[in-house]
Amino acid sequence: GGEKTALVLHDLHAGYDGAPVLHGVDLALRAGEILALLGPNGAGKTTTCRVAAGLLAPRTGQVHAAGRDVTRQSPVHRSREGILLAPEGRGIFPALTIDENLALHLPNRTDRDAVYERFPALAARRTVGAGSLSCGEQQLLALAPLLQRPPKVLIADEPSLGLAPRVVDEVFRLLTELRDAGTALLLVEEKAAEILGVADRVAYLAQGRISWCGPRAEVEADRLTEAYLGIA
Ligand code: ATP
């Protein structure tokens, strides 16, 4: 791993019960960048996230974080090292209040007040059950505590899935703030237009391999078509 390389996926081969999906995925994320992973359905984007987060062991290949080999480490161990998988809004407890949910991550009152200042919609309803929030607000509640302690690496698999457009903007703004705080973000998205607004670099996954990776400015419109049609 290099000086500023937060996460390296090296020659990953992985799949499910005799169904290989990844055929040698190579990716490197620097601290303080958003790398968008695009590709057609079934290309292996979710599988890549699962291997990076430690939910699925690769058949061969390695995952390095901050220069250390974490390939054999559990998701819990990786999260202690600052490599997190974004909770998809399911990381909240609907029966607990908003404040109680936040307190699970931020026992310090001052930290919670900072979240309320940043998200007034949560502040206004801090004593109501989190289950009464919309899906988008639940997603924000799940992600907001990260701003107080930005992780080294955040792996987010379609964090805007099923959310209303206005909340999608808020989720992306939050992710951008994490990036600016130094987090390396691996972001899988279906919404190509939105992703190009926040990504620093873009990688295309096609048939289990990275077929193109480069700065956002070098992405051409027809490359997106390529990514979605899987013509590499
Ligand atoms: P999508 O955009 O559709 O989510 P993706 O790029 O995230 O696609 P993956 O979810 O990684 O792709 O799936 C890659 C391949 O692995 C697909 O063919 C899928 O059917 C298969 N697959 C995914 N999960 C499993 C599983 N638990 N068991 C068996 N096969 C699976």
Side-chain angles (χ1 to χ4, degrees), residues 94-117:
L96 299 182
T97 67
I98 288 173
D99 197 57
E100 286 164 346
N101 269 281
L102 281 180
L104 295 175
H105 303 281
L106 305 171
N108 190 327
R109 177 81 197 271
T110 319
D111 285 335
R112 299 208 291 287
D113 285 342
V115 169
Y116 293 134
E117 206 168 305

Side-chain angles (χ1 to χ4, degrees), residues 62-182:
Q62 294 93 41
V63 179
H64 287 92
R68 293 184 37 216
D69 189 339
V70 298
T71 315
R72 301 289 151 217
Q73 287 182 354
S74 68
V76 171
H77 195 123
R78 286 184 214 197
S79 70
R80 280 195 222 110
E81 303 267 323
I83 305 154
L84 296 188
L85 185 68
E88 285 185 53
R90 313 269 183 274
I92 66 141
F93 293 88
L96 299 182
T97 67
I98 288 173
D99 197 57
E100 286 164 346
N101 269 281
L102 281 180
L104 295 175
H105 303 281
L106 305 171
N108 190 327
R109 177 81 197 271
T110 319
D111 285 335
R112 299 208 291 287
D113 285 342
V115 169
Y116 293 134
E117 206 168 305
R118 170 67 181 73
F119 299 99
L122 296 181
R125 296 153 76 188
R126 68 181 79 186
T127 60
V128 309
S132 73
L133 296 174
S134 71
C135 292
E137 289 166 332
Q138 291 188 14
Q139 179 68 288
L140 287 173
L141 178 61
L143 292 172
L146 298 179
L147 283 173
Q148 301 315 117
R149 282 189 229 116
K152 287 198 197 97
V153 175
L154 181 65
I155 300 151
D157 191 358
E158 301 201 41
S160 71
L161 192 68
L163 305 188
R166 186 184 51 79
V167 194
V168 170
D169 288 346
E170 282 213 64
V171 168
F172 281 148
R173 197 173 333 127
L174 192 157
L175 296 177
T176 305
E177 285 172 34
L178 284 175
R179 183 264 314 274
D180 294 343

Side-chain angles (χ1 to χ4, degrees), residues 16 21 40-47 158 190:
Y16 308 90
V21 175
N41 288 339
K45 303 181 296 295
T46 296
T47 303
E158 301 201 41
E190 287 291 316

